[in-house]
Amino acid sequence: MGEHYSISKNNFDVFRFSKREADKIALVTEGGGQRGVFTAGVLDSFLQANFNPFDLLIGTSAGSLNLASYICGHKGHAYRIIEQVTRSPDFFKLSRFLLTGEGMDLDWLIDKTESDIPLNWKVGQAHLNTKQVLAVAAHATNFETKYFDLSTNNWKDILRASCAIPALHKQPVIMDEKRWLDGGLTTPIPVQAAYDRGFRHIVVIRTVPVDFKENHDWLISLAKMTKNDTLNHMAAMLVTHEENYRKTQAFLANPPDDVIIYEISPNKNLESKLLGSTKKQLDADYQHGKALGNLFLETIASKLSLSHLSPERFLVQTSENKLTDKAQQLKYNAQIDVLWDSKTQGEVLGVERIPLKWININPNDKKQTLVLVNGRNESYWKYKEVILELSQYFNIYAYDHRGQGESGRMTQDHELGHVDDFHDYVMDLYIFMERVVRPNLNGECFMLSHSMGAAVMTQYLSMFDHPVKASAATSPMFGVYIPGKAHGLKKQTLNLLDILANKPNYALGQSHFKKVRYEENVLTHSQVRYQMFVDLFVNNPNLRLGGPSTHWITESIKAGKKCIANAHKVKIPMLILQAGGDLVVSNIAQTAFHEKCHSSHLEVVKDSYHDILIEKDLYRDVAINTLLDFFTSDYRFY
């Protein structure tokens, strides 16, 4: 018997794998409809590592669509097709199918892909010159299996044929005067085909657990009882499918003596479905796929002498050690001082002529611009470490919101967190962009926001003409967390307190600035970064801010709801980094926004507290690298 390695969550099988030679290697991808988002995650982790050593690639159904994105080098492309295009009612609507029999519109899916999210076939053709990519389809009548050689000339017809799920596709797919159906009908996992073509190292990406079993005895029995021709034909197809599936699973579990199977699969049923998945379900499965793809790269690919792996694209330059070790701290402080001394600073008048302080930092003379929009009780001074990292790649602009940081205050109490109207924040950002940033753009413009700043950024992006090409938000405040005694109060109570107040005052349980001990904080797990954050306000009283006013809370609640209601108006790519352990803002509200925003992508930084960008290295490094990858890759497809 040959060798079989399972790359699955909580499976330690891979750690017994030892180094060996692999002169050539094949990749096989299973179908599964929207469950193919798991495969998209695996392949995107490969693209991230510049890993494509495969001489032969064979895909069935959704697996072939994934291979088309992969061979064209588009990280995030397959995810976007599944998340946006296949979830559109123009592609498939269950009620329409039940009432009229109209199923999936594959013509619309392929045409939509070509017009809105086009594949880069220049890159694809370069790969096709040295690699063979096959998409599997099945003859509709005699169930003959056909392996179509993907090319730039007929890729649309081939992908349609490979994905035509029996009884669900709208228009028959005709090629060579024959009608073709989903290749998964006869060849659900085309691993035997790779073996027959001489490949002895075969990577298989599944969309179901290895012990998955299908059984359609109920339909076969129904067909016998009713003697319905359509049901009989469907039952015959399913019998064929099940027989081939069992044969394939037997091959995978007991491969021939001369072959090694590397099987990447979920260890339990995926959250997403064939059709009708939510964005939350798709994101969970996509992240699962990315994690297992990285596990394969670390444990298997690195030992196959393939030399196709690239080094890390980004090196995070700072670490908690550099902030605690005295020698390293001196070096780090010197870097920060040089960076900060290089800044340009200025002032622009916002709504009602409130002065807004801003800075511009570009020590490396970068053309691409990144605008930072900070959260409540923050200042650009807090982001020195982040700016040091990001200024390697961008021309950085940042400003302080009205009522905090170095900008003008609106109440006699310098430390009261207050705003008359949340829309003032949004207009301030618009004014800053139009008068300071936009006139000085020399390249593409991106935007990065945090917490309250994300609510400001989102409203700006949904309301105004703007130059921003892609945006990202860490721990966005789309639902406000009401702390202390006010937590249990209903919205009506807050509104009443707001109305009764004859002047802005602290909300219940809130007060002037107080130094909170590290052990009591809910912002970060990093003690050294938290201490730096606190020291910033202790040593600079002019930057301090205390708790919010009742009116600020009611305005922020309304702002979060407005962001969710208008999520569909955000047209540019938006990355949401959700802090898995957030105790400050509502992750449920972030998910609600994400479901309604057609262009967003959500990734969870597991267990991180709210302030992802000043977290422990364990969480922060993930966030920084994810942000850099998003902004510097082909973000249009992510």
Side-chain angles (χ1 to χ4, degrees):
M1 188 175 77
E3 297 179 67
H4 176 278
Y5 294 92
S6 176
I7 299 92
S8 185
K9 191 176 181 181
N10 302 326
N11 191 310
F12 301 101
D13 188 34
V14 292
F15 296 109
R16 64 182 175 87
F17 183 75
S18 57
K19 279 192 174 183
R20 63 210 49 210
E21 297 294 322
D23 58 335
K24 59 180 183 177
I25 187 169
L27 174 65
V28 172
T29 54
E30 185 179 21
Q34 290 177 344
R35 290 192 298 262
V37 76
F38 172 83
T39 304
V42 175
L43 295 180
D44 278 353
S45 71
F46 288 2
L47 288 173
Q48 174 71 28
N50 194 30
F51 181 77
N52 187 353
F54 305 106
D55 303 283
L56 172 68
L57 303 92
I58 312 178
T60 294
S61 191
S64 61
L65 287 173
N66 268 299
L67 289 185
S69 299
Y70 180 55
I71 206 70
C72 290
H74 284 326
K75 183 177 181 290
H77 183 272
Y79 167 85
R80 189 172 169 191
I81 292 294
I82 295 167
E83 186 274 312
Q84 291 184 24
V85 184
T86 71
R87 293 177 71 241
S88 169
D90 291 322
F91 172 61
F92 179 80
K93 190 173 183 180
L94 181 59
S95 59
R96 184 176 65 222
F97 173 68
L98 294 174
L99 290 172
T100 67
E102 279 196 18
M104 300 186 309
D105 192 340
L106 291 171
D107 291 338
W108 182 86
L109 182 145
I110 298 297
D111 291 343
K112 189 73 172 175
T113 298
E114 189 176 27
S115 63
D116 291 9
I117 319 173
L119 287 160
N120 187 347
W121 281 110
K122 288 184 179 179
V123 173
Q125 187 59 56
H127 281 135
L128 290 171
N129 290 336
T130 59
K131 305 171 185 290
Q132 186 176 29
V133 183
L134 303 177
V136 186
H139 193 281
T141 306
N142 62 18
F143 305 148
E144 168 199 356
T145 298
K146 177 86 172 183
Y147 295 89
F148 288 99
D149 209 327
L150 196 67
S151 73
T152 56
N153 296 324
N154 64 347
W155 67 272
K156 290 190 286 185
D157 290 335
I158 289 172
L159 293 180
R160 270 195 290 259
S162 186
C163 296
I165 299 175
L168 283 182
H169 68 292
K170 183 177 179 180
Q171 299 292 340
V173 180
I174 309 296
M175 285 196 302
D176 302 330
E177 299 181 349
K178 297 178 182 178
R179 183 179 176 185
W180 299 96
L181 296 174
D182 187 322
L185 173 65
T186 56
T187 314
I189 310 169
V191 62
Q192 180 77 49
Y195 180 76
D196 292 343
R197 284 164 172 76
F199 286 83
R200 298 299 178 259
H201 291 269
I202 306 173
V203 177
V204 179
I205 304 176
R206 303 281 301 276
T207 53
V208 293
V210 294
D211 58 353
F212 174 77
K213 293 180 180 179
E214 279 191 306
N215 192 304
H216 298 97
D217 289 344
W218 63 274
L219 182 58
I220 296 168
S221 299
L222 182 63
K224 288 179 180 178
M225 287 188 293
T226 60
K227 298 187 183 302
N228 181 290
D229 289 341
T230 301
L231 283 179
N232 279 330
H233 189 62
M234 177 67 74
M237 286 192 293
L238 291 174
V239 167
T240 300
H241 172 75
E242 287 178 9
E243 288 177 352
N244 289 320
Y245 209 98
R246 282 191 285 269
K247 289 178 183 177
T248 302
Q249 286 187 306
F251 182 96
L252 291 170
N254 302 284
D257 293 342
D258 57 346
V259 69
I260 305 177
I261 302 294
Y262 311 96
E263 190 171 4
I264 305 173
S265 64
N267 67 330
K268 61 179 181 179
N269 290 335
L270 295 173
E271 294 184 28
S272 48
K273 302 180 281 287
L274 181 71
L275 289 166
S277 308
T278 66
K279 287 184 81 172
K280 184 177 181 180
Q281 291 170 329
L282 294 174
D283 285 341
D285 293 341
Y286 176 75
Q287 293 301 327
H288 191 178
K290 283 181 69 176
L292 293 186
N294 287 324
L295 179 62
F296 171 82
L297 293 172
E298 293 165 4
T299 58
I300 300 291
S302 59
K303 298 176 183 177
L304 282 176
S305 66
L306 293 167
S307 66
H308 288 265
L309 289 169
S310 67
E312 286 285 336
R313 289 180 63 202
F314 311 109
L315 296 176
V316 178
Q317 287 193 338
T318 63
S319 67
E320 288 172 286
N321 287 339
K322 289 187 177 182
L323 304 176
T324 54
D325 179 86
K326 287 188 176 180
Q328 293 191 60
Q329 191 176 25
L330 287 172
K331 185 177 179 181
Y332 167 78
N333 288 338
Q335 282 182 295
I336 288 292
D337 289 343
V338 171
L339 177 81
W340 219 241
D341 288 344
S342 72
K343 72 179 183 296
T344 301
Q345 52 191 348
E347 176 184 295
V348 64
L349 296 180
V351 175
E352 295 183 346
R353 302 185 65 79
I354 295 293
L356 307 174
K357 299 292 185 177
W358 60 265
I359 60 170
N360 174 220
I361 295 180
N362 191 17
N364 299 303
D365 196 28
K366 296 296 180 180
K367 300 298 182 184
Q368 290 189 319
T369 293
L370 179 64
V371 179
L372 302 183
V373 186
N374 57 41
R376 196 197 87 83
N377 193 15
E378 293 188 346
S379 169
Y380 43 69
W381 286 86
K382 171 187 173 182
Y383 288 94
K384 282 184 173 183
E385 185 181 10
V386 175
I387 292 173
L388 177 65
E389 299 277 302
L390 299 182
S391 64
Q392 300 173 78
Y393 308 95
F394 302 105
N395 172 25
I396 306 288
Y397 278 91
Y399 75 103
D400 281 350
H401 294 295
R402 61 178 49 232
Q404 63 185 52
E406 291 198 325
S407 292
R409 310 290 167 118
M410 295 162 295
T411 62
Q412 290 184 342
D413 186 340
H414 181 84
E415 295 184 6
L416 176 63
H418 179 73
V419 69
D420 292 330
D421 187 330
F422 197 93
H423 187 64
D424 291 348
Y425 288 136
V426 183
M427 286 303 302
D428 285 347
L429 175 56
Y430 173 76
I431 292 168
F432 173 65
M433 291 296 295
E434 291 300 305
R435 296 184 182 174
V436 179
V437 179
R438 200 165 193 166
N440 295 299
L441 290 177
N442 292 314
E444 291 182 311
C445 179
F446 306 101
M447 192 169 282
L448 170 61
S449 61
H450 175 64
S451 195
M452 182 195 84
V456 177
M457 177 190 78
T458 300
Q459 291 197 33
Y460 165 74
L461 295 176
S462 67
M463 294 176 64
F464 297 106
D465 170 67
H466 59 78
V468 184
K469 300 298 181 184
S471 62
T474 61
S475 307
M477 188 195 74
F478 298 141
V480 67
Y481 172 75
I482 305 172
K485 296 178 182 178
H487 181 75
L489 293 178
K490 294 182 179 180
K491 179 182 175 183
Q492 293 89 337
T493 307
L494 286 168
N495 287 336
L496 179 61
L497 290 173
D498 189 20
I499 293 169
L500 293 175
N502 55 17
K503 64 177 182 178
N505 211 337
Y506 293 101
L508 285 176
Q510 301 300 304
S511 66
H512 295 277
F513 171 78
K514 289 181 179 179
K515 184 178 177 181
V516 178
R517 294 188 308 118
Y518 166 75
E519 292 77 13
E520 298 172 359
N521 102 92
V522 293
L523 298 178
T524 175
H525 293 89
S526 172
Q527 186 165 1
V528 61
R529 289 191 173 105
Y530 179 74
Q531 192 59 52
M532 290 171 64
F533 173 57
V534 171
D535 288 346
L536 176 67
F537 294 119
V538 170
N539 300 329
N540 298 276
N542 63 306
L543 299 179
R544 288 180 192 168
L545 197 67
S549 67
T550 303
H551 188 69
W552 185 93
I553 294 176
T554 58
E555 282 294 302
S556 296
I557 291 172
K558 288 189 289 185
K561 291 183 176 180
K562 188 173 182 179
C563 287
I564 295 172
N566 294 326
H568 63 286
K569 295 181 180 180
V570 177
K571 302 300 184 183
I572 63 170
M574 181 174 179
L575 172 66
I576 299 171
L577 287 184
Q578 183 179 91
D582 206 323
L583 298 173
V584 177
V585 298
S586 169
N587 285 350
I588 295 174
Q590 292 170 18
T591 301
F593 173 89
H594 179 50
E595 284 291 336
K596 293 187 176 183
C597 180
H598 303 306
S599 59
S600 63
H601 174 72
L602 187 149
E603 295 205 20
V604 179
V605 183
K606 189 177 179 181
D607 298 328
S608 170
Y609 277 169
H610 180 70
D611 257 345
I612 297 176
L613 297 179
I614 62 166
E615 256 288 10
K616 289 181 71 70
D617 294 345
L618 173 67
Y619 310 117
R620 184 180 182 276
D621 289 0
V622 171
I624 292 291
N625 279 288
T626 302
L627 288 169
L628 287 172
D629 178 58
F630 174 72
F631 284 130
T632 61
S633 67
D634 197 349
Y635 54 84
R636 294 171 184 84
F637 300 109
Y638 192 54

